[in-house]
Amino acid sequence: CLVGSEMCIRDRSHVNDNGVMAPDYMTFDLGYKHKTKINSTPVTLTAMCYNVLGKDYWISRGTSVALGAPRTMMLSAQFDI
C-alpha cells in the first residue's frame, strides 16, 4: 500500500516579536506499508520518507523561528499480539 501526504502551509507568514518572518512552505511525504505475518503474528511494516524533496523551510512557533526538519527516513514494524 503506497502512503503519501502533502503539507502546505499558506497564509501563515508570521513575524515574531523580534521582527523575523517565517514564509509559507510546502513539503511532500511518501512511504510504503505492507501487512504480513511472522510466525502467525500479524505484522505491519512501514517505510516513510518525510520531506522527500529535501526542501529547506522555516517554521515559527511563538516568538522563535527555526529551520524545519530535513529529509527523514523512518522504518517501523507493528506487531498485533
Side-chain angles (χ1 to χ4, degrees):
C1 170
L2 191 60
V3 179
S5 69
E6 164 189 355
M7 183 168 76
C8 180
I9 305 299
R10 296 180 194 257
D11 300 325
R12 187 175 172 258
S13 294
H14 174 75
V15 178
N16 70 8
D17 292 342
N18 298 325
V20 177
M21 185 174 111
D24 302 343
Y25 65 90
M26 180 183 298
T27 63
F28 295 96
D29 305 331
L30 189 62
Y32 184 76
K33 189 179 284 192
H34 178 71
K35 293 186 178 192
T36 188
K37 288 187 178 182
I38 297 176
N39 292 334
S40 75
T41 301
V43 179
T44 302
L45 303 171
T46 305
M48 287 295 300
C49 181
Y50 298 97
N51 191 6
V52 172
L53 302 176
K55 177 157 177 68
D56 292 330
Y57 61 96
W58 293 96
I59 56 174
S60 176
R61 292 197 177 123
T63 59
S64 64
V65 176
L67 189 60
R71 181 181 303 124
T72 305
M73 298 291 295
M74 292 191 177
L75 302 173
S76 67
Q78 177 182 334
F79 295 84
D80 298 322
I81 52 175

